[in-house]
């Protein structure tokens, strides 16, 4: 728990990033553990992802607002996402721009990425570790 009386500690606004949310496997369990550990003391403001099939994953991940990349709007995108590999850098660039706009509206203190693919290329806004 963050000690509100300590001026050096405060509730952080944290954004998460994960390649895709299309099932609860190992990477999603890591993401869930991070969310579970941070949620009591900090505000999880958004989860940036390239694909999300909309199915519930866990009580710790489902309430976090999702920012889904533009490739997800294509027909059958969740099932064909591996064939879209050449478009991933562009899609992550679009998510980076969205993150920058979100940060400009309400500053984000920290970005945490769990990745096995392209989302590790998400560019945090200047000054955001």
């Amino acid at each position: 728990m963050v000690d509100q009386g300590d001026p050096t500690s405060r509730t952080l606004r944290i954004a998460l990033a994960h390649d895709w949310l299309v099932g609860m496997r190992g990477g999603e369990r890591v993401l869930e553990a991070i969310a579970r550990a941070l949620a009591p003391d900090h505000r999880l403001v958004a989860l940036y992802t390239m694909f999300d099939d909309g199915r519930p994953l866990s009580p710790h991940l489902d309430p976090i607002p999702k920012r889904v990349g533009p490739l997800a709007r294509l027909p059958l995108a969740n099932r064909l996402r591996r064939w879209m590999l050449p478009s991933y850098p562009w899609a992550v660039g679009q998510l980076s721009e969205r993150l920058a706009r979100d940060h400009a509206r309400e500053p984000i203190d920290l970005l945490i990425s769990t990745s096995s693919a392209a989302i590790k290329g998400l560019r945090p806004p200047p000054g955001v570790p």
Side-chain angles (χ1 to χ4, degrees), residues 81-103:
R81 69 184 181 276
R82 286 179 172 80
W83 295 100
M84 298 179 187
L85 181 65
S87 301
Y88 285 6
W90 172 79
V92 171
Q94 296 295 304
L95 278 171
S96 295
E97 290 176 14
R98 175 73 190 267
L99 173 60
R101 287 192 306 272
D102 291 349
H103 176 68

Side-chain angles (χ1 to χ4, degrees), residues 3-82:
D3 179 2
Q4 298 300 329
D6 179 357
T8 62
S9 68
R10 64 184 175 89
T11 299
L12 297 177
R13 291 178 38 80
I14 300 173
L16 301 175
H18 191 72
D19 291 307
W20 38 71
L21 303 172
V22 296
M24 194 65 171
R25 295 179 292 264
E28 292 75 21
R29 292 193 192 289
V30 169
L31 181 66
E32 178 186 37
I34 292 168
R36 189 175 55 241
L38 294 172
D41 300 321
H42 303 289
R43 185 163 167 231
L44 301 177
V45 296
L47 173 50
Y48 294 83
T49 186
M50 292 191 306
F51 301 96
D52 179 8
D53 67 8
R55 287 183 288 170
L57 292 173
S58 83
H60 299 285
L61 296 176
D62 296 340
I64 304 169
K66 310 299 184 293
R67 305 287 190 262
V68 182
L71 293 176
R73 293 186 210 113
L74 299 173
L76 301 174
N78 287 320
R79 291 182 27 196
L80 300 175
R81 69 184 181 276
R82 286 179 172 80

Side-chain angles (χ1 to χ4, degrees), residues 10 12-13 99 103 107-111 123-129:
R10 64 184 175 89
L12 297 177
R13 291 178 38 80
L99 173 60
H103 176 68
I108 295 167
D109 298 304
L110 179 65
L111 172 64
R123 293 180 312 272
V128 177

